[in-house]
Amino acid sequence: MIASIASLGAAHCCSLTLKQLVPSHSHLSRVRGSRTSFLQSVDIQQAFKWPDDSQKSAAAIRCGDVQLTDAVRIHSEGKREYGRVVAVDCRASRSPSAAESSVNVDDFVEIGIVAETHGVYGELRIRSSTDFPEERFETPGTRWIKKMRMGKPSITEVELIEGRETIGKQTSWLVRLKGVDTLEKASEFQGATMLIRADERPVSLEEDEDYIPDLLGMDVVIQETKETIGTIVDVHNSGASDLLRVQLTKPIRGKDVRIWIPFVKEIVPVVDISSNRVEISPPDGLLDLNVPKEGPSRKESLKMERKRKAILSAIRKRLRALGQTHVLEGLSIGEESQRQSLMDQLMSIDFGLFQQALLNAPSPLSTNSITGELQPPPTVPQANWADFETWSPTSKDNDTARWWYKGLQLVADGEVAVIVLAGGQATRLGPDSPPVKGMLELDLPERKSLFEIQADRLLLVQELAAQVYPEAAPQIPWIVLTSDATDVSTRSFFEKKEYFGLKESQVWFVKQDSLPCVDYKEGNAILLESPWKLAVAPTGNGGLFSALHAQNITDRLSEEGVQYVQVYSVDNALVRVGDPVFFGYAHEQKADVGVKVVKRTSSDEAVGVVCLQKNNEQNLHSEHEGTQIEDISESDETEEGDERLAINIHGNSISSHYRVLEYNEMPDALRTAKEGDDLVYQAAHICVNLFSVDYLKTLADKKLELGFHSALKRIRCMKKDESGEWTTYTPDQPNGVKLERFIFDAFKYCDSEEVALLEVNRNEEFAPIKNAVGPGIADTAETALDMTLALRNRSMSTAAESDQDGDNHNLSLLRAYIFGK
């Protein structure tokens, strides 16, 4: 929905027309979700169009805090028929006892704050901020109340009946307002500001008196040099005299600075209201008095040192329990900057999570046992784009077309977002590769990075949605998951490229956790890049969920009305970013999880395989139920695998769930099983998934945390040789373990009935870049480029054959999205 009733909150009485040419049951989702408790009533005139186009009818609804519903009419034979909204006219008003009008906040002066209610008959306690309290709070007449609504000031006229002064710890006034005669009514004003009109102030003041609002915003000028040094931002009464709070024009050491200047004639000899300036003649040293000294004060330094020692003591204790004290050697050697760098890194690592990962991750050389009965997925629907030239919003019998237009509606309504998994470095792609995979450029005619190619598709989806829903101006949030190794480079790249034409506000960066890498031969000892730096690695694509929760991204998505999030890996050159078909299909299936798959090309293809796991009685009562993580100092036992209790997000046991078996953990019997000429397990996972925001929120539950996996890698590191010297070690065989979570492990908490698998064409949507270019090497930038160019060539051939685009801009955009142009 382009606007909502909540947006009417700042006006006394206004009208808003919401036009929506969409199917029934979806058009008012934003209105239903709006908070309307501050409205006394909402008059809504809905014009409905019935499916048979035979007539139009109207219905008037009055509602306060109620749910809005679609129109329905019942034929004589009892058949129900739903109408769809073609226009909604909203007229909102608040309580008639407190009239509002269009007013300018600058036309008023604050005289007090409503601190609290008093008694049960509607009295208000006012904290005065005026020099004329008796006149303002004891004399009946018109006053004004300012509240903040939807982040904007709203000013309401009220009538003061009477008031009286009360003496206590702080002098205040008790007042009564007309029509406010109960505690409930009075409570609505708590925290508000009481105002009078600026023209009601006394015209004449004593000599050398000024109104505080007139001083705010005035320039502060050195009388002798005529240099403007700042602006008055506040006035404070210190008892003996007033103090001017001045915001200096020039930052000091990169920081904005505010200083105090006594408001006395000797220091502020000139106050020129008409020129909006004051002139000051400060004594030597006054302007430097409040300027913060460079570096921390002695008190701050001592406090920081105590905190540092306490943290270091806690880290030492934790590392001793883990048997990892060798990483502390760097704190006693080298330069201060190196020691501080190590300290900073140690403080940034979640060693509790590291301990949990060591306990739960299976050995990289172990064979993962599979409990429960495995089956191939049932028949998987296919996305078929072949006849896209004939698609229209009324294409009901064509599944893909129907999903497409439903997805565009979700885009137009602001109910979708996209996450790109971009935490991995490009080290495997060769010595000339960029620091981040998404920065890798493909040698297309226009030569673009993967990030730019994906941004182009996101822009196309937004434009396509706006073509179908002209009143929409969608901005799909693009969430970029980074890591310690890629965060700075990725942010800088986006800034340099001006966010590839997207709005900066719609690109959100989220950094995932990193954990130390360990030596799998030497008791899981943490590997060191140098004596002052631990070898760390991102927690895998499954670290997405904890990162979204920790950085409040899931809540932010929910607050903005997003229902579904597509998640994909950055190294897929053909990924259809923001795919409306995927969104529309998942919505139709009422799915919490969506999974795109392609058919495996051979039994030797190194891809993960999606399968269905039936949970038997033994699996349902796994030994991992209620798992407690023991302290390593007390037990050196580890648990292998991650076959936790099969429960869904509501805590109920489930009969079956989807899982992904990695290529290297598939038993030969499953990997090679055939039925006729086809592989039995043929659904290859391509790391393009979809999650409902509700499901993401439930995954924040500690009971549903994903387990860890061990990935055996070659990791360059430094060790002490026999003579005690630090030596760089470059392995030619895997020597270390990275502790990772996998995104597809989140599938197991979702009943298979709530997971929607969608088969797509490999040649249209899956061109992974995993390896360096070389003869006969698959999944390289070169093979991805070939697939991208081949798809573009298909675009030209289909356009030439159909010759249907003509002036059809929408069809041209759709062709560009499908074929990646």
Side-chain angles (χ1 to χ4, degrees), residues 59-97:
I61 303 173
R62 286 185 62 84
C63 59
D65 246 311
V66 302
Q67 300 281 313
L68 305 183
T69 58
D70 298 333
V72 62
R73 63 181 181 184
I74 303 177
H75 293 277
S76 56
E77 62 271 21
K79 179 182 177 182
R80 289 178 178 268
E81 189 171 53
Y82 290 89
R84 62 190 182 100
V85 171
V86 293
V88 180
D89 184 69
C90 305
R91 188 168 294 274
S93 63
R94 297 193 193 91
S95 173
S97 63

Side-chain angles (χ1 to χ4, degrees), residues 319-335:
L319 291 174
R320 222 174 2 252
L322 293 170
Q324 304 283 358
T325 54
H326 65 284
V327 305
L328 298 172
E329 291 189 39
L331 295 177
S332 57
I333 61 174
E335 300 178 1

Side-chain angles (χ1 to χ4, degrees), residues 420-426 429 434-442 448-454 478 486 490 493-494 500 570-571:
V420 54
L421 304 172
Q425 295 174 282
L429 304 185
V436 180
K437 278 187 178 181
M439 294 165 59
L440 180 71
E441 292 184 337
L442 293 186
K448 293 183 178 181
S449 68
L450 292 175
F451 279 137
E452 186 172 3
I453 293 170
Q454 292 158 17
W478 192 19
T486 66
T490 302
F493 189 66
F494 271 72
F500 312 105
V570 72
D571 57 10

Side-chain angles (χ1 to χ4, degrees), residues 641-688:
D642 190 41
E643 296 300 326
R644 302 186 182 185
L645 179 67
I647 57 173
N648 66 9
I649 59 177
H650 307 294
N652 304 318
S653 61
I654 57 180
S655 59
S656 62
H657 68 272
Y658 282 100
R659 65 175 296 176
V660 175
L661 288 179
E662 289 283 64
Y663 171 77
N664 57 2
E665 67 180 2
M666 281 193 75
D668 287 343
L670 295 182
R671 183 169 52 82
T672 60
K674 285 191 174 184
E675 187 173 301
D677 294 331
D678 297 326
L679 292 169
V680 173
Y681 291 89
Q682 57 181 268
H685 182 252
I686 61 173
C687 202
V688 180

